[in-house]
Amino acid sequence: MRKLWIINAVLLLGVVLFTRCNNTRESRMDEFTEEKADVKAEIDAAIEKIDRRIDQAQENARNTSDELKEQWKASVDNLKRRKEDLKDKKDRLEDSTEENWDELKADVVRGLKEAETELHEFGKKIENAFED
């Protein structure tokens, strides 16, 4: 009888420990999935911002010289490439794992900073064009 009690206690302890470990792993996966969704949302916001800036530039270009239009076209082309780069990074996030997450996230953060810098510089070009 005592052996049966010990076996049951060991089995119960095993079930409790297994359940606790499984819950911790699920919790980590939930956090990972949530963080991935947050990063994707940041990328989507950056892409929307790029689209708005491109639309603004195309609207403003109607009232500018051909020389300025040509300069803006190069900047718009750069923004479109940056937008495609961000879309590629977002697609790569779909296949990300916890093991390669830090590297991919760092790459995305770098891409977002570069896009923000390019948007800022282009915004200055637009402002300067209308100050003259």
Side-chain angles (χ1 to χ4, degrees), residues 55-111:
D55 291 345
Q56 176 189 13
Q58 289 171 337
E59 180 67 31
N60 290 340
R62 294 181 184 152
N63 304 321
T64 61
S65 69
D66 289 340
E67 180 183 337
L68 196 53
K69 284 179 190 176
E70 199 59 38
Q71 290 174 5
W72 285 7
K73 182 183 180 318
S75 293
V76 166
D77 289 345
N78 286 339
L79 286 173
K80 287 179 179 178
R81 278 192 296 279
R82 184 69 62 198
K83 176 181 162 180
E84 290 306 312
D85 180 55
L86 289 173
K87 285 182 178 181
D88 290 343
K89 289 178 188 324
K90 183 179 174 187
D91 290 343
R92 285 181 35 222
L93 289 178
E94 290 297 327
D95 300 325
S96 65
T97 62
E98 286 186 80
E99 289 76 29
N100 68 359
W101 175 247
D102 290 337
E103 182 181 331
L104 284 173
K105 184 178 174 187
D107 187 40
V108 167
V109 168
R110 209 172 17 261

Side-chain angles (χ1 to χ4, degrees), residues 23-60:
N23 288 343
T24 302
R25 189 166 42 106
E26 287 176 7
S27 177
R28 277 197 328 265
M29 285 303 293
D30 289 345
E31 289 174 15
F32 172 66
T33 302
E34 187 176 316
E35 186 175 7
K36 197 191 291 193
D38 290 346
V39 172
K40 287 179 186 178
E42 286 181 55
I43 291 172
D44 288 339
I47 288 171
E48 287 180 30
K49 197 171 184 180
I50 289 171
D51 285 338
R52 283 193 309 272
R53 186 58 58 110
I54 289 171
D55 291 345
Q56 176 189 13
Q58 289 171 337
E59 180 67 31
N60 290 340

